[in-house]
């Protein structure tokens, strides 16, 4: 869209005539201008748009020292408390757009305070980068930062018109200068002159700086200003490198072809000569990447890219335009693992590909970047060999990201630390992109640091909640108001109790069961009423929607909502009054539902039990209090429900989950054990499922277009191949025609001599499944939940830790008339976009969780040294077997080939599948004995290494280690 | 591209107004000599011309004649050049027909039609430039035209649109705001008695917010009525000065 200001005509001064509520205005002189610009429509037409633009006299400067402005509250302080060598006087900063866009890391630093953000700058930032816009808004909301937004575009004295021939950017630069000049004058005239307050304009644009200096402004380049700050040397490292500084290594050689301008890319894509897609770097080979070009249905293609020239400075996840090479230049993906060691600068990668491969793939080269998807990357610094050097290479933890050159003076302190680095640019004559240091995360290998790294790398939002978010929390002390009472059903007299894992502080569900006078049972599931506290559309809601889910790591929880809600006001703790959303059924003793109703309620939980405590109460025949009776009733019904569910074909799958015993002081894992399940676990689960299904039906009935549901698609039959083959090797048949058949045949599959066989099969079956996903009912027609064998399903029962549940709560509340609706809730496209985010966050949370378990397992083995354990072969690969250690719920790979040794004779049979190593043949489910140790040779990628002990194969297996607890043998033969 | 930010954190709207502020209203009465009454009214960039003929005896089909009061006949049209894209059909499409009907209903509530049985009053309104709030601008212009024609009314009819953004009612929406996905409401008020002549809303809004929105609209209408009153007084002064001479 081209936009320019063409003509602005002053209509004249007039008194604004408003109603009484605009009293403020009747005294204000308002000037009316009109703003005309031309806009191109999608169909190619040109529209002339005229908008009004009012200029006002009642926009205040926001400074504490000012006596002229009639402002009610001030943001900018009298004592600016920022000390610089360049400016010895107190001053306010005015950054220009590019400074905000590129140096947001610096602006976020607590040292930088008393900054005036002009509206012009804010609007430009909004246009150019949504993430930076959000960050700057967060800063503005933070009271301690004293950032003031000056609405200069509507101020009578600072508004300027675009002159003929002036570009939009120049006009904005001028607007910024005019606003800065106004501030200078304004602060001079007010009696504050005694304080000597001044404003300092920060810009990196040479032209702009010169013009500003000419008009008598104090102006500095961002860099020189930051360098002049006293006592903040580390802030300098955060400065982003900008192009005009010319401080990157300029080799005379141009390494990369120029990127095409966007207009030519778009033309090329339209004409079909270029393809647009997401760039995916290869994990194993830094000279290779694929570009995924989405197409209609099955038409999606992948274009292979090889060689630095053809990759042409694209970074993983960028959206790029590629051009296909002529067909005779097409190659097959190489199977070589290549890691960038920095030496291979001159090798020509195409030379490696001489072999005439049969499976050539479409090959292309990157001609331009459509959208960069750079984020700050975690990794470690490779300190330069030259001691005095300030330029260093940075190796990201993610292998798909190239190394980044950064400049820092604190290399010696940063060595051995995990740090974050952001890319600033990649000039065509530089081998590596240029970046800047963002912050240090802490020492590598330390628990906190590694946790931080895995959160960042899995894109889990985990910063402390911003002030804007916290401002929407209820004020403490909080109590249930009489209005709440009026609107809710009072269920405080019911014997409600909660059953959760030990140490749980975010209790979101509680149950009750009682006998009615007519002999039937009334069962209630009470869920924390989070949607009462989180109102749609406010900052708290947006933050929760973005986070999507609470992430549980070993010994740590990343909350979706602030702790006040998650662990206090929403947590259904015992003996306090809490707001709840209740789903209540009337059932007969055969667990048939006679009546279902939903209500917002007030409950008072009588007990918070752990699974074990609840189990004990049920089993202990001497206990006969209300809680125990209620639990027994629930348990009885749950058993019937479960049986019925399984008869309908619900799957009971298995995966090993590990629990670490964590030392209370050092927080290091001492021991690990697999989680065990009790009857009460399944009792709670059964009622949660029932509540979810009831709610899903209700919201779908009410809102067939915009109900948020969860589905679990049936896996394609080919997914089961591995399971069927594996079972066949033990002469067990598995039927996968339907969920019911699968469930039945899994139940039947037992081998007498091998009690663990069934669990192993179930673990395998779990791996065959698809991911369950959220979706909006208006956008999809297949609702079936395969795993639960339910025609409809949703998530209702954990609103404290899942955002989906909050939406479901809102839908249900509207359905029963307990709450009001809002447009986004009823918009299926917005709903669908939300689902995508939730699915992404859930997947990432799961990965982060697994990574956290893996990391703790490593910590555990670090302290334990080498261990010998028994395990089972779970998969057989071409050159390795994957072994599951039931004791630790952990799996690892035993490789049979390695770089430095001649490989043993390997024969892989895909039918079995079996792998024959020398004379021994491995089948799935074979029992083996392995030795486990920690491989710390690569500090960024520590991993568990397994080696075979039993069966003994000469040249392959290793002798069993004597177990010396503290011996760390990291170098074992594979 | 991100949509427009309709209300900034500092409380300013796109064009620099605050939430409760109206656009600048300018009006002239008696712009045509041959009509019985006429007025031209600008509300920001929305400009309308209203012309009133009558009361006169029924024209066309006499069957529509009412024996106890006058018939009000309204015609709303938009100039082809009134919007950014040329309009193909200046009047007679569904939207204009509906708008004509709304205007008719509004003025039937305000004009003392019982004084003119078996006669007809024609109100023609044309939007010359459209920038949001067409209905309310038409009502305001037509009120002045009716007054100019000397037809007795119960009160001024003043109209205003209000929208609902970020839990805040915005008075007198401009086109950019109207098209920005705001639930909006148009209200015509007889300000002195506080009677509502017409209320129209076709967006979704929860009933909890309706009251605040109507309140905001009523305040805005009262603001408009002050301006109109001033215009009428000034016009009378001018006219009386002329006649005195």
């Amino acid at each position: 869209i081209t936009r320019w200001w063409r003509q602005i005509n002053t209509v004249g001064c007039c008194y604004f005539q408003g109603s009484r509520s605009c009293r403020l205005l009747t005294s204000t002189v308002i000037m009316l201008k009109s703003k005309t610009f031309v806009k191109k429509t999608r169909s190619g037409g040109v529209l002339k748009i005229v908008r009004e633009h009012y200029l006002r006299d009642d926009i205040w400067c926001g400074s504490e020292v000012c006596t002229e402005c009639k402002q009610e509250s001030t943001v900018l302080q009298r004592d600016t408390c920022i000390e610089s060598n360049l400016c010895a006087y107190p001053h306010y900063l005015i950054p220009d757009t590019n400074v905000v866009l590129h140096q947001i890391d610096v602006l976020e630093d607590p040292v930088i305070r008393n900054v005036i953000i002009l509206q012009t700058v804010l609007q430009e930032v909004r246009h150019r980068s949504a993430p930076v816009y959000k960050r700057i808004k967060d800063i503005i909301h933070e009271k301690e930062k004293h950032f003031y937004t000056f609405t200069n575009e509507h101020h009578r004295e600072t508004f300027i018109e675009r002159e003929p021939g002036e570009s939009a950017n120049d006009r904005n630069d001028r607007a910024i200068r005019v606003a800065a000049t106004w501030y200078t004058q304004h602060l001079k005239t007010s009696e504050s002159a005694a304080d000597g307050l001044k404003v300092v304009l920060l810009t990196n644009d040479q032209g702009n700086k010169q013009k500003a200096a000419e008009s008598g402004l104090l102006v500095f380049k961002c860099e020189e200003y930051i360098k002049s700050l006293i006592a903040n040397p580390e802030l300098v490292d955060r400065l982003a490198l900008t192009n005009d500084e010319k401080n990157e290594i300029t080799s005379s050689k141009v390494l990369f072809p120029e990127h095409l301008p966007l207009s030519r890319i778009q033309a090329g894509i339209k004409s079909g000569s270029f393809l647009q897609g997401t760039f995916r770097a290869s994990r194993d080979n830094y000279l290779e990447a694929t570009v995924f070009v989405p197409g209609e249905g099955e038409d999606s293609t992948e274009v292979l890219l090889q060689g630095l020239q053809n990759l042409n400075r694209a970074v993983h996840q960028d959206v790029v335009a590629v051009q296909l090479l002529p067909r005779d230049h097409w190659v097959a993906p190489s199977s070589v693992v290549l890691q960038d060691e920095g030496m291979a600068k001159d090798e020509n990668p195409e030379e490696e590909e001489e072999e005439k491969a049969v499976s050539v793939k479409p090959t292309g080269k990157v001609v331009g970047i459509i959208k960069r998807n750079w984020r700050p990357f975690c990794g470690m610094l490779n300190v330069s060999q030259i001691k005095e050097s300030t330029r260093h290479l940075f190796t990201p933890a993610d292998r798909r990201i190239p190394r980044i050159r950064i400049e820092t003076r604190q290399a010696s302190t940063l060595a051995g630390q995990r740090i974050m680095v952001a890319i600033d640019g990649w000039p065509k004559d530089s081998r590596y992109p240029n970046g800047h240091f963002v912050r240090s995360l802490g020492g590598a290998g330390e628990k906190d640091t590694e946790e931080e790294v895995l959160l960042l790398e899995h894109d889990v939002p985990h910063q402390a909640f911003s002030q804007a978010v916290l401002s929407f929390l209820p004020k403490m002390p909080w109590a249930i108001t009489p209005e709440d009472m009026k609107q809710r059903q009072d269920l405080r007299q019911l014997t409600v109790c909660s059953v959760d894992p030990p140490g749980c502080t975010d209790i979101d569900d509680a149950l009750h069961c009682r006998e009615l006078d007519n002999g039937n049972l009334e069962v209630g599931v009470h869920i924390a009423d989070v949607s009462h506290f989180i109102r749609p559309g406010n900052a708290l809601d947006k933050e929760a929607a973005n986070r999507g889910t609470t992430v549980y790591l070993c010994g740590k929880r990343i909350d979706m909502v602030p702790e006040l809600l998650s662990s206090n006001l929403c947590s259904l703790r015992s003996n306090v009054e809490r707001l709840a959303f209740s789903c209540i059924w009337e059932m007969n003793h055969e667990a048939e539902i006679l009546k279902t109703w939903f209500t917002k309620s007030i409950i008072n939980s009588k007990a918070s039990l752990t699974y074990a405590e609840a189990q004990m109460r049920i089993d202990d025949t001497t206990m006969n209090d209300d809680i125990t009776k209620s639990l027994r009733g629930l348990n009885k019904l749950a058993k019937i429900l479960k049986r019925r569910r399984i008869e309908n074909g619900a799957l009971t799958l298995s995966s090993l989950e590990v629990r670490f015993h964590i030392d209370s002081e050092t927080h290091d894992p001492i021991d690990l054990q697999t989680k065990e399940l009790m009857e009460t676990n399944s009792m709670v689960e059964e009622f949660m499922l029932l509540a979810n299904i009831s709610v899903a039906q209700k919201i779908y009935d009410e809102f067939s277009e915009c109900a948020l549901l969860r589905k679990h698609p049936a896996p394609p039959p080919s997914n089961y191949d591995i399971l069927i083959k594996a079972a066949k090797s033990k002469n067990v048949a598995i039927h996968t025609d339907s969920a019911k058949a699968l469930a039945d045949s899994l139940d039947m599959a037992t081998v007498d001599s091998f009690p663990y066989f069934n669990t192993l099969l179930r673990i395998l079956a779990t791996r065959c499944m698809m991911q369950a996903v959220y979706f909006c009912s208006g956008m999809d027609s297949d609702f079936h939940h395969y795993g639960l064998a339910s025609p409809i399903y949703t998530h209702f029962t954990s609103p404290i830790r899942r955002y989906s549940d909050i939406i479901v709560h809102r839908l249900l509340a509207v359905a029963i008339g307990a709450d009001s609706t809002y447009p986004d809730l009823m918009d299926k496209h917005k709903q669908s976009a939300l689902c995508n985010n939730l699915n992404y966050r859930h997947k990432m949370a799961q990965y982060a969780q697994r990574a956290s378990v893996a990391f703790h397992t490593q910590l555990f083995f670090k302290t334990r040294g080498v261990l010998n354990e028994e395990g089972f072969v779970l998969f057989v690969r071409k050159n390795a077997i994957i072994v599951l250690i039931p004791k630790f719920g952990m799996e690892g790979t035993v490789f049979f080939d390695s770089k430095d040794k001649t490989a043993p004779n390997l024969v892989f049979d895909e039918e079995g599948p079996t792998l024959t190593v020398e004379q021994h043949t491995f089948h799935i489910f074979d029992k083996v004995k392995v030795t486990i140790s920690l491989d710390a040779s690569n500090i960024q990628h520590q991993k568990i290494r397994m080696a075979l002990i039993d069966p003994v194969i000469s040249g392959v297996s290793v002798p069993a280690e004597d177990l010396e607890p503290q011996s760390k043998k990291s170098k074992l033969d594979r | 591209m991100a949509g427009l930010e309709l209300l900034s954190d500092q409380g300013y709207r796109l064009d620099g107004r605050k939430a409760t502020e109206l656009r600048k209203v300018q009006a002239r009465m008696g712009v045509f000599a041959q009509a019985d009454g006429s007025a031209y009214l600008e509300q920001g960039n929305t400009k309308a011309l209203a012309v009133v003929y009558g009361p006169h005896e029924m024209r066309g089909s006499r069957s529509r004649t009412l024996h106890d009061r006058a018939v009000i006949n309204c015609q709303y049209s938009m100039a082809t050049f009134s919007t950014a894209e040329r309009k193909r059909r200046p009047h007679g499409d569904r939207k204009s027909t509906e708008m004509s009907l709304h205007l008719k209903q509004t003025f039937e509530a305000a004009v003392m039609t019982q004084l003119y049985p078996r006669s007809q009053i024609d109100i023609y309104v044309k939007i010359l430039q459209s920038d949001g709030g067409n209905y309310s601008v038409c009502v305001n212009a037509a009120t002045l035209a009716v007054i100019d024609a000397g037809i007795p009314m119960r009160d001024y009819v003043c109209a205003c649109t209000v929208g609902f953004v970020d839990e805040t009612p915005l008075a007198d929406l401009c086109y950019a705001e109207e098209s920005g996905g705001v639930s909006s409401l148009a209200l015509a008020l007889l300000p002195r008695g506080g009677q509502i002549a017409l209320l129209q809303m076709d967006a979704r809004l929860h009933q909890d917010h309706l009251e605040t929105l109507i309140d905001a609209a009523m305040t805005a209408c009262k603001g408009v009525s002050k301006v109109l009153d001033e215009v009428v007084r000034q016009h009378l002064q001018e006219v009386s000065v002329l006649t005195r001479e």
Side-chain angles (χ1 to χ4, degrees), chain A residues 590-638:
Chain A
E590 278 71 54
E592 277 153 4
I593 299 172
L594 305 172
K595 207 167 119 193
T596 309
W597 71 99
F598 308 97
T599 175
K600 290 231 174 186
S601 61
I602 299 172
I603 61 160
N604 188 346
S605 171
K606 300 291 179 288
S608 319
L609 306 171
T610 63
Y611 289 122
E613 283 168 1
Q615 189 67 51
M616 230 167 57
R617 274 173 184 261
I618 293 173
D619 296 343
D620 189 348
T621 44
T622 58
M623 294 187 83
N624 268 316
D625 52 310
D626 280 350
I627 299 174
T628 314
K629 273 193 224 155
S630 164
L631 284 173
R632 284 195 190 122
L634 289 167
N635 198 27
K636 196 186 79 183
L637 292 171

Side-chain angles (χ1 to χ4, degrees), chain B residues 51 149 179:
Chain B
V51 177
S179 55

